[in-house]
Amino acid sequence: STISGDLPSNESFPLSIDLSRAMPLCSTLPTDTSILITSSGKQRDACISLLQNAVLRVLTSIPPGKAKFVLIDPVSLGQSFASILHLADYEESQLLDRAWTEPRHIETQLARLTEHMETVIQKYLRNEFKSIDEYNEQAGEIAEPYRFLVIADLPNNFSENAAKRLASIITSGARC
């Protein structure tokens, strides 16, 4: 469709192939961990399922207590992450206790995350370690938990300041 403009819509030219593709997804920490899923809206439920699946895969591949999440869901008011929020009943993590929906809450959570990134860079990484992964290998028992930001329906309820903070997180977040 990108070469010829659009797919034929005339019933005389039916396509006999399935246009959807399944691809395995593999990400390694701390690099290659950002995932962006876009949709016209028709596939929103499938996209939300993919986000939920990614969160559950992180939780099953990282030791307990070593992964913390900031969940943002301005359109569904937390419903997109309802199944994940049940985990807060068993883990007393303050960063997995709710999904943030309001603009001021989103901005506050992004501010907390960028402040944490500043701490990691200035206190742990400095000029000794390239990433939090390298630091954690040497730190052993006192390793810093990985922090994950999961956003559904971006850019809804994102202020200009929140967008700037998000840009900072995208730029430096994987290292931290």
Side-chain angles (χ1 to χ4, degrees):
S1 67
T2 57
I3 296 173
S4 62
D6 202 1
L7 297 173
S9 58
N10 189 319
E11 293 179 18
S12 302
F13 303 107
L15 288 175
S16 60
I17 59 170
D18 181 18
L19 296 177
S20 62
R21 298 286 181 252
M23 298 184 328
L25 177 64
C26 180
S27 295
T28 56
L29 291 172
T31 57
D32 303 325
T33 54
S34 295
I35 300 171
L36 174 64
I37 304 164
T38 60
S39 167
S40 64
K42 295 177 184 175
Q43 297 294 322
R44 183 182 183 279
D45 291 341
C47 293
I48 295 297
S49 293
L50 182 59
L51 280 177
Q52 293 169 344
N53 187 303
V55 170
L56 292 175
R57 285 178 181 259
V58 166
L59 287 170
T60 58
S61 63
I62 294 179
K66 297 300 180 184
K68 301 200 180 257
F69 295 86
V70 174
L71 306 173
I72 297 176
D73 185 19
V75 173
S76 296
L77 303 177
Q79 185 60 42
S80 297
F81 302 115
S83 60
I84 296 164
L85 293 174
H86 280 292
L87 297 174
D89 298 342
Y90 305 99
E91 168 66 31
E92 294 182 16
S93 171
Q94 293 178 349
L95 294 176
L96 189 60
D97 62 348
R98 66 174 296 171
W100 303 96
T101 62
E102 293 296 318
R104 63 186 168 89
H105 294 144
I106 292 170
E107 194 168 323
T108 299
Q109 291 306 308
L110 295 177
R112 287 181 181 168
L113 199 52
T114 53
E115 287 172 14
H116 176 73
M117 289 168 47
E118 291 171 3
T119 301
V120 167
I121 290 171
Q122 296 173 23
K123 185 176 179 182
Y124 303 128
L125 302 183
R126 296 185 184 167
N127 63 347
E128 296 177 50
F129 304 101
K130 289 182 181 179
S131 69
I132 194 67
D133 203 40
E134 278 187 19
Y135 170 81
N136 282 347
E137 283 179 24
Q138 190 168 357
E141 290 290 320
I142 59 169
E144 186 67 21
Y146 290 103
R147 310 264 174 156
F148 295 90
L149 174 62
V150 185
I151 304 170
D153 300 306
L154 180 75
N156 290 305
N157 283 0
F158 268 68
S159 65
E160 185 176 334
N161 196 24
K164 289 178 183 177
R165 289 191 183 278
L166 181 59
S168 175
I169 292 168
I170 290 168
T171 303
S172 301
R175 181 173 183 238
C176 300

